[in-house]
Amino acid sequence: MTYAPNVSVSIPYDKEKLARVASLLHAVADPQRLSILAMLAEKELCVTDLSSITSDDLPTISQRLKLLYEAGLVKRRRQGKHIFYSTVKKYYLTEAVFTLLDTSENSQTSTDSE
């Protein structure tokens, strides 16, 4: 006998919105992409800059930026041969992620001192 609950629940958001949020969360779920996002929140940088800072190769940085760009978290601007990236200011997710990082750092510091 299978259990069939007598509950009627509807999903409060449409599938398109859920997919969009899942895409955003996926983009920031990787520590390397998250560090790139944090750097871009501080300063506009190109792929070469990011490669020098992280010591990752150019194709790896480009792939990470592509995912962040496709998620709508970063924007790009061409200047000559270089494309510069920066964060999109309209996303509260970016602010929430940095708040979580700050909170995590503060709680780790207090845990270490105990």
Side-chain angles (χ1 to χ4, degrees):
M1 176 178 223
T2 60
Y3 175 73
N6 189 15
V7 178
S8 176
V9 178
S10 63
I11 299 172
Y13 301 101
D14 64 50
K15 289 182 180 185
E16 194 172 296
K17 278 187 179 180
L18 292 171
R20 177 84 182 116
V21 171
S23 172
L24 290 169
L25 293 174
H26 172 71
V28 298
D30 176 69
Q32 287 78 21
R33 288 192 301 265
L34 194 52
S35 72
I36 289 172
L37 193 62
M39 286 183 267
L40 295 176
E42 295 293 320
K43 183 179 182 180
E44 183 182 63
L45 298 166
C46 69
V47 175
T48 308
D49 296 332
L50 288 164
S51 179
S52 295
I53 294 166
T54 63
S55 300
D56 289 330
D57 60 15
L58 296 174
T60 300
I61 296 294
S62 294
Q63 279 300 112
R64 291 176 181 149
L65 285 167
K66 180 182 178 203
L67 204 146
L68 292 169
Y69 178 79
E70 289 174 349
L73 293 170
V74 300
K75 59 185 175 182
R76 55 189 177 196
R77 172 184 70 80
R78 179 175 291 278
Q79 183 178 336
K81 293 182 178 182
H82 296 283
I83 298 175
F84 287 87
Y85 292 84
S86 59
T87 55
V88 174
K89 303 295 183 208
K90 70 178 182 176
Y91 276 107
Y92 296 109
L93 175 65
T94 307
E95 290 178 29
V97 166
F98 297 136
T99 300
L100 284 171
L101 285 170
D102 290 341
T103 304
S104 173
E105 185 177 284
N106 291 340
S107 67
Q108 183 65 33
T109 303
S110 65
T111 304
D112 291 342
S113 64
E114 290 177 0

